[in-house]
Amino acid sequence: MITAEQIQSRLEAELELDELKIKLDGNHASILAVGEVFADLSRVKKQQVIYAPLRDLISSGELHAVSMRTYTPTEWQREKKLALLS
């Protein structure tokens, strides 16, 4: 069984991220990732960046579903401010 820590270490090893949060419910992962790596990428490209280090876990079925939110640091600051206002 995969753990949130294992997913986190894989992503941190492959990507330069400012912030990373992972919630795991069985074999479904929710990922929040913040980093400049997402600047100027389409939504699909951002997903591919996250999926790449996890590809073998997904293909083996260890990780069944991944939902993700990706932000640049600037986008994340704006998102946090908007959350405080709502």
Side-chain angles (χ1 to χ4, degrees):
M1 177 75 81
I2 191 76
T3 66
E5 291 78 20
Q6 289 171 308
I7 294 170
Q8 183 155 347
S9 65
R10 278 176 177 241
L11 291 172
E12 287 175 341
E14 296 287 326
L15 307 172
E16 226 174 280
L17 298 171
D18 295 357
E19 198 167 331
L20 179 62
K21 294 181 183 174
I22 296 162
K23 289 183 185 168
L24 200 56
D25 182 13
N27 59 359
H28 294 79
S30 296
I31 298 171
L32 168 77
V34 180
E36 280 300 329
V37 67
F38 302 116
D40 302 320
L41 294 181
S42 69
R43 197 167 138 227
V44 171
K45 291 284 186 199
K46 290 177 181 182
Q47 290 175 348
Q48 290 171 343
V49 166
I50 295 292
Y51 282 136
L54 306 175
R55 190 168 287 125
D56 62 320
L57 296 173
I58 295 166
S59 63
S60 74
E62 270 188 275
L63 195 54
H64 177 68
V66 177
S67 65
M68 67 187 79
R69 291 180 294 154
T70 57
Y71 302 97
T72 64
T74 304
E75 291 168 339
W76 182 232
Q77 290 304 316
R78 187 171 54 238
E79 186 74 18
K80 289 196 293 189
K81 283 180 188 167
L82 290 174
L84 289 175
L85 296 174
S86 57

